[in-house]
Every structure is written in C-alpha cells, then in structure tokens.
C-alpha cells in the first residue's frame, strides 16, 4: 500500500509545497473520503485531518484545495506545524476547525509570479489576472478570520511580508486553538 493510501485509510493527509501534484492528491483524497461517508449523517462523520507545513506555492492549485475543503461535507480539521506561508496561509484559514502548534509561523504577502520576457500586451493581461487573484485570495482570508480587508491592503501596498505567531493567529481568528 502506498504512503498516500495509508494516509487515506487513517484520514490524515499532509500538505507541504502547493503544486499541481499535491493539490490533485489532496483534492482526490477529500473526494474519496466524502464518497466513503456519503451514507453517514454529517454528525457521524469522522473528520479528515489535514496537516500543513507549507512555504506556499501555486495560487491556482491552492484555490482548488480551498474549494474542495469548503465543499466537503465530512469536516476537515487543519493542523499547522512549522509554517503556513503565502498560499499555505490561505488554506490554513479554511478548515472546519483549525489548530496550530505554539511555534507555528503564518505569513501573508501579495500574490507573486514570474512572467518572463513577454510583450506589453501579455504583461497587461497578467496584471489584470493578478489583481483578480488578489481579490480571491484576500476574500478567503477575510471570510475565515477577523482580519479586515483594510489591513491586507496596507500590507500589500507596503510590499512586505506579514509574519504572524500562533498567539497572534489565535487573536486574529486564523486558528481556533493552539496545541
């Protein structure tokens, strides 16, 4: 049995770098558990445990994971150990219940990607898409935490990273409990 299959059987999944491959695995496993639980009442479903230690990664793939978490009828409990940065931060806010170890670091920053050497028209298109992604990313965070949009705007305008401790994350509603 593969490691992922063992994780599925125990309902414990892990997430590090957010890539197309890791997103497809996590999304697929969430669907499999929900399929297995389809005849159980919501209150009788054992939660999926998603353990995150992520420096971030692909915004598109992270949004796919978030959509699967939000659509899951089986509750998903998120445990963050080490870090939940960039896209990992947004995912960490989405669990039905969210935990973090006491030394966990969260980090928010503006969306970034490489565009290479392209023509101006291409860059204009990419800026428009980047702004759309910012709105989605920020709306996920403001919907799931106590962080106001104004705070996220200030961080983005300053072009800096915002590092958040586990204690601060608890106060900001990023997590529900420190373990």
């Amino acid at each position: 049995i593969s490691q992922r299959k063992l994780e599925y059987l125990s309902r414990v999944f892990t997430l590090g770098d957010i890539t197309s491959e890791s997103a497809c695995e996590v999304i697929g496993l969430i669907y499999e558990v929900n399929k297995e639980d389809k005849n159980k009442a919501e209150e009788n479903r054992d939660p999926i445990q998603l353990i995150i230690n992520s420096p971030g990664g692909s915004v598109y793939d992270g949004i796919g994971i978030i959509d699967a978490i939000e659509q899951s009828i089986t509750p998903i409990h998120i445990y963050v150990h080490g870090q939940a940065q960039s896209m990992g931060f947004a995912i960490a806010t989405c669990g039905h219940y969210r935990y973090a170890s006491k030394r966990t670091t969260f980090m928010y920053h503006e969306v970034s990607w490489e565009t290479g050497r392209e023509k101006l028209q291409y860059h204009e298109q990419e800026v428009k898409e980047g702004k759309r992604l910012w709105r989605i990313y920020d709306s996920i965070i403001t919907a799931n935490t106590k962080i106001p949009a104004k705070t996220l705007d200030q961080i983005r305008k300053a072009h800096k990273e915002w590092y958040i401790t586990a204690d601060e994350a608890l106060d900001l509603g990023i997590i529900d409990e420190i373990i």
Side-chain angles (χ1 to χ4, degrees), residues 27-122:
I27 292 166
L29 291 168
I30 290 169
Y31 271 81
E32 286 295 319
V33 170
N34 275 272
K35 181 179 175 185
E36 179 184 294
D37 288 353
K38 72 180 177 182
N39 295 323
K40 294 180 182 177
E42 285 184 51
E43 63 274 3
N44 294 332
R45 293 177 179 218
D46 292 328
I48 295 167
Q49 297 177 10
L50 177 59
I51 300 169
I52 298 175
N53 181 14
S54 177
S58 166
V59 176
Y60 294 110
D61 295 313
I63 290 170
I65 293 169
I66 289 167
D67 287 346
I69 291 169
E70 290 177 348
Q71 293 170 10
S72 179
I73 296 168
T74 299
I76 299 177
H77 293 185
I78 292 180
Y79 296 81
V80 184
H81 294 279
Q83 63 182 328
Q85 299 191 41
S86 192
M87 198 64 221
F89 171 65
I91 294 169
T93 71
C94 293
H96 296 91
Y97 200 82
R98 303 152 307 171
Y99 303 88
S101 58
K102 64 184 178 183
R103 288 181 281 277
T104 294
T105 300
F106 296 86
M107 190 270 288
Y108 170 88
H109 65 170
E110 66 182 325
V111 176
S112 63
W113 69 98
E114 293 184 32
T115 59
R117 297 180 58 170
E118 300 289 339
K119 295 180 179 161
L120 179 59
Q121 191 74 16
Y122 176 83

